[in-house]
Amino acid sequence: MIERYTREEIGRVWSELNKFKKWLEVELSVCNAWAKLGRIPSEALMSIKNSVYVNEEVLQKIKEYEKVYKHDMLAFISAISEQIPSYSHYFHMGLTSSDVVDTALALQVREALSIIIRDVEDVLEELKKLSFEHKDTIMMGRTHGVHAEPITLGVKFAVWYDEMKRNKDRLLGAYNSVSYGKLSGAVGTYSNIDPEVEKLALEELGLKPEPASTQVVHRDRHADLMYAIACTATSLEKFATEIRHLQRTEVLELQEPFTEGQRGSSAMPHKKNPIHAERICGLARVVRSYLLVALENMVLWHERDISHSSAERIIIPDATIALDYMLNLFLEILRGLVVNKDRMLKNMDLSYGLYASSKVLVKLMEKGMARDRAYDLVQKCAMKSWEEKTHFKDILLSHQEVSRWLTPQEIEEITDPRSYLKNVDYIYQKVFGSC
């Protein structure tokens, strides 16, 4: 991922330096396991553990070897073997490249997911705070982009909160799904390694052994990961799109923060554009595209090929880095969100109280009017209200047939926008466990 969208902490996870450190961590866990089984003498193990390391200098040496070998694992092994000339024959003993690469990848992914899950928790906390703060901030609910019935801004935030909880569950599921390694050799048959080595080494690393590996850990696990990431990114796009709609000049109910000294347009000094929300939407498209690649990576020839390898080097770091950036950018939007309550009320008046049509329909049916007749009657009153730009309540009060079925007090009650929000506490109870 380009530097512009890479936050420092998660960027370190996917650095070349950290990758090779993880490779070394896997190799050392294997050495420890061999030592427990008596295949590596204790003095040799101590010398290996005290001598091997990866730093920037070693990283450069690995790159120099790779230019010659055209093989990063062999380059890594050669660079580390130079640090332990007397015991290099114990290093990478019985392993194939993917044993180290796939197992280390699981460690990197878990490290990245830990950051992302923490990000999600921060977003959840802010959404919950906003939801309770705006529990009674009434606004127009819209379907098809058209006025429907009143809701509250708090309920909107509660909807987002509940969706992000599901995303957290997906990410936790992906964490478990990728927490598998394999140290089973060239085609997964343990031909040159004791199965006990895999068990002991992975236990030390906090991973589980792939039950039936080939030369690789199976890529449906990584597809699970990419789905959880893509789904979370798409939820953020959904929320950002709503903010963008509500920031349109004609609506202007919400605005993303616009800081001191910020400029919105090179040509038009008056502009305040929802650039952060738009950036989230754009990055979500990139992240979603990686899901298709992850699914295609599941299909390998026989016990493996490396058609997945080059793609994974891009999509897994990029997707996790992008999602970390998107979550923190969305958090920044939430923390500085401008809520225009007066505009929300003014916008409700644009449709002359027609949001009450559903309650009028139900009330007439409760009084005994046939549904089709009630629908036609309410629709005619609604159209008259719209065409004459007269409040719906006034049309109802002056309509002779409606007046025969509904009293002025009933009409007053069912056209009160607050009457639509009587069960908001019930929603909060379901989402948050309290209201």
Side-chain angles (χ1 to χ4, degrees), residues 257-269:
F258 195 87
T259 56
E260 184 71 28
Q262 183 176 338
R263 297 185 176 187
S265 167
S266 63
M268 296 170 283

Side-chain angles (χ1 to χ4, degrees), residues 224-242:
D224 272 349
L225 164 71
M226 206 57 63
Y227 173 73
I229 291 172
C231 197
T232 306
T234 304
S235 290
L236 293 177
E237 182 184 10
K238 169 184 171 180
F239 309 154
T241 298
E242 180 68 4

